[in-house]
């Protein structure tokens, strides 16, 4: 596991683990956080066949701006032939994912090990 020397933003930590880029969201993921995260998300999902895991476990608050980030990441990764996995354990965030249908597109795993062990990702349909 390799850690970056400094986080890209106060809401995002990025590291490499088992051939995947792990984007760990932190704190309140609202419109201001999304504005900070989007350029980094785009850079990390902009190359061919990206292998991405988004970890929402450290998130305290998650609104529609966070949903847009997840959907954007999913679209960019699929367009480039990659895979995207989601890790989420917070009941309120899981509820938001389920109510909006995004949990079917990005089925959340309960741990990073579970997400990294998935052979397929982003195969859900609405």
């Amino acid at each position: 596991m390799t850690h970056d020397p400094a986080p890209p933003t106060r809401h995002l930590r990025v590291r490499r683990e088992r051939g995947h880029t792990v984007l760990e969201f932190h704190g309140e993921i609202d419109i201001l956080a999304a504005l900070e995260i989007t350029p980094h998300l785009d850079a990390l999902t902009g190359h061919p066949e990206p292998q991405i895991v988004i970890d929402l476990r450290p998130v305290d608050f998650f609104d529609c701006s966070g949903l847009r980030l997840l959907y954007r990441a999913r679209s960019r990764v699929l367009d480039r032939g990659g895979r995207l996995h989601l890790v989420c354990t917070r009941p309120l965030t899981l509820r938001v994912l389920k109510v909006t249908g995004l949990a079917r597109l990005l089925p959340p795993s309960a741990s990073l090990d579970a997400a990294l062990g998935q052979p397929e990702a982003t195969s859900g349909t609405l």
Side-chain angles (χ1 to χ4, degrees), residues 1 4 12-13 22 27 32 35 45 47 50-51 77 88 99 116 120 124:
M1 174 172 29
D4 284 341
L12 178 64
R13 308 289 184 278
V22 179
L32 293 175
L35 289 171
T45 59
H47 54 85
Q51 304 298 308
V77 167
C88 183
V99 167
L116 293 174
E120 298 295 326

Side-chain angles (χ1 to χ4, degrees), residues 8-110:
T9 80
R10 64 186 172 125
H11 299 287
L12 178 64
R13 308 289 184 278
V14 179
R15 67 180 185 275
R16 293 283 299 165
E17 191 158 328
R18 291 190 254 167
H20 290 76
T21 302
V22 179
L23 285 71
E24 190 175 275
F25 290 12
H26 282 262
E28 296 184 3
I29 306 302
D30 56 14
I31 193 163
L32 293 175
L35 289 171
E36 289 180 5
I37 292 170
T38 297
H40 302 284
L41 180 90
D42 286 355
L44 294 165
T45 59
H47 54 85
E49 299 180 10
Q51 304 298 308
I52 305 289
V53 175
I54 296 179
D55 189 347
L56 299 179
R57 290 175 297 174
V59 169
D60 298 321
F61 174 81
F62 193 81
D63 70 6
C64 62
S65 299
L67 293 171
R68 280 192 296 274
L69 284 172
L70 295 180
Y71 190 78
R72 180 183 189 94
R74 180 183 182 274
S75 295
R76 291 176 60 80
V77 167
L78 288 178
D79 286 349
R80 289 159 181 80
R83 292 189 180 169
L84 176 64
H85 301 281
L86 183 63
V87 180
C88 183
T89 57
R90 293 200 181 258
L92 188 56
T93 306
L94 287 168
R95 184 173 178 215
V96 169
L97 294 172
K98 287 177 187 172
V99 167
T100 61
L102 196 53
R104 285 180 283 180
L105 295 175
L106 284 172
S109 298

